[in-house]
Amino acid sequence: MNRVANHWKDYECIDAGNGEKLERWGNIILRRPDPAVIWPSETDADWQHAHAHYHRSKSGGGHWEYKKQFKDSWTITYKNLRFKVSPTGFKHTGLFPEQAANWDFMMDRIANEQREIRVLNLFAYSGGATMACAAAGAGEVVHVDASKGMVAWAKENMILSHLEDRKIRFIVDDVLKFVAREKRRGRTYHAIIMDPPSYGRGPNGEVWKIEEQLYPLIQACMEILDDDPLFFLVNSYTTGFPPTALENLLHATIGKKYVNGVIDAGEIGLPITKSKTVLPCGIYGRWVKEE
């Protein structure tokens, strides 16, 4: 099943074509490359209004061309959440707006549960899912990422969303090592979220390759999942990784252990205002406790 993040007011994908997307973040217009945009588009006047344009370098990486003056960072709102947005040197802005499709699901399930839910968010980045779960009333959210900078950004988002009074633990660590330690401690979670990169390094140089380590990680997570779990969600941006692969992984792991759930997988995307089509942005696979 495909899920579209169509409840934004402060974010809009205005247009997409010719390998790029044109986006409104609050009142700032950004133009960025996107490898999924393989269709043409007329680069009309809207495209010329961008405040900044990210250009890829043939040697890797790239740079921002600033066409209008604006602040280094600003905030945007999604429902009762607020996030810091800032163009980074590697094209990103610190937020993936398509993830709102997953946030809505998490918030709905947590808010409707008549018990205190403990959530583990792995590869948690700047904390969109962390804040969504905390705002929905999770009893505890543990936020794990290998990047100190991203964990600091997540703490800023906590303050912006006025969630300082919620129980959120921020951990800078390699996710596999953290999960192993939680097993030794005997700690369990009712919901586990992960957004693994294709390739990455932990804080002490640990190498992560999704095709080799995603299955062992999910297996390890089975050891710290509560006996009565609420949901298990895997998100991925790895090119060429189909949703069915995630679906099969979940059937081979959590689906075997917990038979009282439903597994589904698909794409997540963003509505494109001009063409009335959808921008594909990644894939998800999830196990959900049957209601």
Side-chain angles (χ1 to χ4, degrees), residues 27-101:
N27 58 2
I28 304 296
I29 309 295
L30 299 179
R31 181 173 175 176
R32 299 190 288 163
D34 190 313
V37 181
I38 60 173
W39 56 89
S41 174
E42 293 180 17
T43 51
D44 56 19
D46 284 342
W47 291 81
Q48 308 314 313
H49 292 155
H51 290 73
H53 184 185
Y54 189 88
H55 298 277
R56 279 204 182 283
S57 167
K58 290 180 180 177
S59 59
H63 71 279
W64 286 97
E65 176 191 3
Y66 292 94
K67 297 175 177 289
K68 301 176 185 178
Q69 282 193 328
F70 60 95
K71 292 181 179 178
D72 289 342
S73 66
W74 62 100
T75 60
I76 65 171
T77 300
Y78 183 76
K79 296 184 177 179
N80 58 339
L81 304 172
R82 294 187 75 212
F83 301 107
K84 172 186 145 182
V85 174
S86 180
T88 67
F90 46 95
K91 183 187 78 169
H92 296 161
T93 62
L95 193 67
F96 291 87
E98 63 274 8
Q99 287 300 323

Side-chain angles (χ1 to χ4, degrees), residues 96-198:
F96 291 87
E98 63 274 8
Q99 287 300 323
N102 285 328
W103 304 338
D104 286 342
F105 154 74
M106 298 172 204
M107 289 191 284
D108 179 65
R109 291 312 303 256
I110 291 170
N112 288 308
E113 196 70 10
Q114 302 300 312
R115 56 180 173 152
E116 197 171 85
I117 298 298
R118 295 185 300 278
V119 180
L120 176 60
N121 187 11
L122 301 173
F123 308 100
Y125 197 57
S126 62
T130 297
M131 305 315 147
C133 292
E140 180 184 20
V141 185
V142 177
H143 174 111
V144 184
D145 198 279
S147 166
K148 285 184 181 177
M150 276 302 155
V151 170
W153 197 323
K155 289 178 180 177
E156 289 184 71
N157 286 334
M158 175 186 67
I159 293 166
L160 288 170
S161 292
H162 304 295
L163 294 169
E164 302 98 315
D165 62 332
R166 306 299 168 92
K167 191 174 181 182
I168 305 173
R169 291 172 58 212
F170 294 98
I171 311 287
V172 178
D173 203 351
D174 173 75
V175 297
L176 281 159
K177 289 181 178 177
F178 179 79
V179 169
R181 278 203 303 277
E182 290 293 84
K183 180 188 175 183
R184 292 196 294 272
R185 293 176 185 129
R187 284 178 52 84
T188 61
Y189 296 88
H190 302 98
I192 297 179
I193 307 155
M194 62 177 72
D195 193 349
S198 305

Side-chain angles (χ1 to χ4, degrees), residues 11 13-23 30-43 47 56 91 98 239 267-275 277-282:
Y11 172 86
C13 183
I14 301 166
D15 197 5
N18 309 317
E20 293 186 307
K21 56 190 174 185
L22 187 70
E23 306 164 290
L30 299 179
R31 181 173 175 176
R32 299 190 288 163
D34 190 313
V37 181
I38 60 173
W39 56 89
S41 174
E42 293 180 17
T43 51
W47 291 81
R56 279 204 182 283
K91 183 187 78 169
E98 63 274 8
T239 305
E267 291 184 357
I268 55 172
L270 289 161
I272 303 171
T273 302
K274 187 176 178 183
S275 62
T277 54
V278 173
L279 177 68
C281 298

